[in-house]
Amino acid sequence: MLAPFTVPIFRALWIAALVSNIGSWMQTVGAQWFMVEQNSPPLLIALVQTASAAPVLLLGIPAGVLGELLNRRGLLIWVQAAQVLISAGLVALTAAGEMTPYLLLVLTLLLGAASAVQLPAYEAISAEIVPTRMIPNAASLSAISVNLARAIGPAIAGLLLSSLGVAFVFALNLASFAVFLIVLIGWRSYRPDLHQPERFIDATRAGVRYVTHSGVVRRLYVRLGLFVVPGSVLYALLPVLATDQLGLDSAGYGVLLAGLGVGSVAAAFFAPIVRDRFGPNHTVLISSALFGAGTVVVALSPSLALTLPVLAVVGAAWIGVVATLNGVVESFLPVWVRARGLSIYQMVLFGSLAVGAAGSGGVAGWAGTAITTAAAGIIVIVVTASQLLWPLLPTAEKKRPTAPFPLAPDQGADIDPQGLTLVLVRYDVPEENRAAFVEQMRLVEHSRRRTGARTWTLYQDRESPGELVEVFGVGSWQEHLQQHSTRPTQYDDETIHTASALASTIDVHHLIQVGRTRIAFPVTSTQIARRHHMKQENQP
């Protein structure tokens, strides 16, 4: 599991990112406690977490495209520098006594926006700098880093708030951002992977299209959102529970966060082992149930002695769910769409955090903090039960290595590389293979759409009932070339070849849009079987 640490730059970036993430969570807790000290209503306290997470909803997909197409190290440097400047302003205003709750929310929103741009590029670059065989473990270690920070950062902040104040906690966050920036600037050996140029809008569509038509990824994201929306309520309302229900000050709140941290740190190292032994589905199922039950107990607990050990279990269960889902997603996504797919993952994660925090703050204002938190725990348990009916889809048989398809057509000099492209694949299917062929083509449709097809239809030739025609449209000839060269996986290759094996002959036509008149003409035709070629010549 620790093999990626043998790569020096991965080790350095992992440590720097851990320090930076710890600072970010210290910043969140400090901001929440500042709101408590200002006697802000529960809604404003919960909105601190919303302000940190909401920008991912707006910037997630564009950030993924930028992380895919730009120099990732350069992007990280600029974004990290922006975070340093924003944090410096936040520290100065707080130390001078000029900070207000609404100004704090604005600055937190800006830091959240910078983090939203940074996350997909960082996760993709982590997978880029280790050998292919280490990518799953690198993904797990990246998830561990994020969740270790979630465990350690709040605990440290809670313990420091009572003695050194909010401004000092904000200053530590500034220092953590500076550490990461220094490591990035000092990393001069980075050589980015070569990417074929893509238009921004087309690249965005391709990323969304892949997730939409990948059943495995879609199920993972749905499960993540269903867990995090109610699960985030405990984290958002814990400061209020600490003060109103348990009568704790900032030091006591720090003790609660330390309880979460102990469980999270332990689970961060054992979650990959449990996942490998029991599988992702069972790991997520058990962890979700423990989290829901623990949330109900914490909401109703009258004493610190009961709350503290239960929080340790809750912290471990959170890691069991989020780290497991993150590791599976990062190792499953193909290289060509990894940053874009991870950006959508971050949208689901942080968007769910934002929705859960904002909703809980509003409900707690009239229903009460304890009742709102207990209800959220019950919802998590109900969501967990649904996993018995809709489990995570298996990934072991989905072969992920890239498998370029042989490309029959030549790219002529007269072809507009940005012209809309229509592909017609004519299959001559024997009657005994027809039912199996049509069934297999359902999988082919998803493969075509994942790799770039905007439209897809299977037709039957009216004059020749034994001939079926697959028609799919791609945004450009350039993108169709990528369908052959960089986007298909071994699983896609096997899916298409299984369908092709059921046909006796195959004939392919490529049509390219001409100018603004939208007239299409065949660029080239590959006739694979002599019998079909002869039949075509004899037709009028």
Side-chain angles (χ1 to χ4, degrees):
M1 189 186 75
L2 302 178
F5 283 148
T6 60
V7 180
I9 187 57
F10 178 87
R11 184 171 65 247
L13 287 175
W14 189 90
I15 294 172
L18 175 62
V19 172
S20 180
N21 287 329
I22 288 173
S24 295
W25 280 109
M26 292 175 64
Q27 151 78 25
T28 299
V29 172
Q32 287 179 321
W33 198 254
F34 176 86
M35 296 292 192
V36 171
E37 291 180 335
Q38 297 293 315
N39 297 315
S40 301
L43 177 59
L44 277 185
I45 298 173
L47 282 178
V48 171
Q49 185 167 299
T50 301
S52 299
V56 180
L57 289 175
L58 298 175
L59 302 176
I61 294 179
V65 176
L66 293 176
E68 205 83 68
L69 304 181
L70 299 182
N71 183 303
R72 290 167 182 161
R73 172 179 171 266
L75 179 62
L76 290 174
I77 288 175
W78 282 107
V79 174
Q80 198 65 26
Q83 288 179 305
V84 168
L85 292 175
I86 296 169
S87 298
L90 192 151
V91 172
L93 288 170
T94 305
E98 299 296 327
M99 184 60 65
T100 65
Y102 290 101
L103 179 57
L104 178 58
L105 285 177
V106 170
L107 293 175
T108 303
L109 189 70
L110 292 176
L111 288 173
S115 178
V117 175
Q118 182 184 55
L119 281 171
Y122 172 73
E123 293 203 14
I125 208 172
S126 296
E128 183 182 348
I129 59 180
V130 299
T132 302
R133 68 182 185 278
M134 294 184 185
I135 287 178
N137 287 333
S140 295
L141 289 172
S142 295
I144 286 174
S145 172
V146 172
N147 291 287
L148 272 176
R150 186 186 183 96
I152 298 172
I156 295 175
L159 295 173
L160 293 177
L161 282 171
S162 59
S163 57
L164 298 173
V166 173
F168 183 80
V169 170
F170 289 168
L172 289 181
N173 180 42
L174 169 61
S176 73
F177 285 159
V179 168
F180 194 16
L181 179 60
I182 291 170
V183 172
L184 288 170
I185 293 174
W187 179 26
R188 300 183 181 278
S189 61
Y190 174 68
R191 296 294 180 269
D193 288 343
L194 296 178
H195 296 284
Q196 294 187 4
E198 294 184 66
R199 292 182 294 186
F200 186 86
I201 297 299
D202 290 344
T204 301
R205 289 177 175 174
V208 174
R209 195 179 298 117
Y210 176 87
V211 172
T212 302
H213 294 282
S214 174
V216 171
V217 175
R218 193 171 60 246
R219 182 73 62 88
L220 288 167
Y221 289 0
V222 169
R223 183 57 54 188
L224 177 68
L226 289 175
F227 170 77
V228 172
V229 169
S232 63
V233 173
L234 176 63
Y235 287 92
L237 296 180
L238 191 59
V240 185
L241 287 172
T243 55
D244 293 353
Q245 185 159 315
L246 299 177
L248 301 175
D249 57 10
S250 61
Y253 178 47
V255 172
L256 292 183
L257 294 174
L260 279 171
V262 169
S264 299
V265 171
F269 289 100
F270 286 104
I273 299 173
V274 174
R275 180 200 65 203
D276 292 341
R277 182 172 181 179
F278 297 103
N281 189 64
H282 286 88
T283 302
V284 172
L285 182 67
I286 296 170
S287 299
S288 299
L290 288 174
F291 187 92
T295 298
V296 174
V297 173
V298 170
L300 303 178
S301 172
S303 67
L304 180 62
L306 174 60
T307 302
L308 201 57
V310 175
L311 280 176
V313 175
V314 167
W318 177 274
I319 298 297
V321 176
V322 177
T324 298
L325 293 176
N326 181 273
V328 173
V329 166
E330 190 168 333
S331 59
F332 182 82
L333 287 169
V335 174
W336 71 271
V337 76
R338 181 170 290 142
R340 282 167 279 187
L342 289 172
S343 72
I344 298 175
Y345 174 90
Q346 298 297 340
M347 285 181 64
V348 175
L349 174 60
F350 285 91
S352 300
L353 286 170
V355 170
S360 66
V363 174
W366 61 269
T369 303
I371 293 176
T372 302
T373 307
I378 294 172
I379 293 173
V380 171
I381 294 173
V382 173
V383 168
T384 302
S386 72
Q387 193 173 338
L388 297 173
L389 299 176
W390 298 285
L392 303 179
L393 298 176
T395 60
E397 77 280 5
K398 303 294 194 302
K399 300 173 182 177
R400 313 312 299 155
T402 301
F405 295 160
L407 184 59
D410 296 325
Q411 184 176 359
D414 58 339
I415 297 176
D416 177 9
Q418 302 302 333
L420 292 175
T421 299
L422 193 68
V423 182
L424 288 73
V425 187
R426 183 180 293 270
Y427 302 89
D428 193 349
V429 183
E431 181 63 30
E432 62 272 16
N433 293 344
R434 181 183 177 89
F437 177 82
V438 172
E439 185 68 22
Q440 182 65 22
M441 290 302 287
R442 296 179 181 178
L443 300 178
V444 172
E445 175 186 1
H446 289 296
S447 173
R448 302 290 197 197
R449 290 185 183 274
R450 280 195 303 269
T451 56
R454 299 183 181 183
T455 59
W456 187 96
T457 309
L458 183 65
Y459 294 94
Q460 177 180 313
D461 191 319
R462 185 174 178 274
E463 282 72 30
S464 302
E467 294 186 0
L468 291 97
V469 183
E470 175 194 11
V471 180
F472 61 94
V474 187
S476 67
W477 176 250
Q478 174 183 311
E479 191 170 5
H480 180 55
L481 294 178
Q482 292 172 345
Q483 276 190 305
H484 283 269
S485 59
T486 60
R487 296 184 178 181
T489 65
Q490 187 177 344
Y491 176 75
D492 294 313
D493 180 56
E494 292 179 359
T495 297
I496 294 171
H497 276 79
T498 299
S500 301
L502 296 170
S504 57
T505 60
I506 303 173
D507 184 47
V508 183
H509 291 259
H510 299 82
L511 296 92
I512 309 296
Q513 173 187 341
V514 179
R516 297 183 180 181
T517 60
R518 297 185 180 273
I519 299 174
F521 66 94
V523 175
T524 183
S525 173
T526 303
Q527 297 168 324
I528 299 178
R530 178 176 296 275
R531 183 175 64 82
H532 192 74
H533 176 74
M534 295 296 295
K535 183 167 66 173
Q536 289 289 96
E537 287 187 335
N538 293 330
Q539 287 179 352

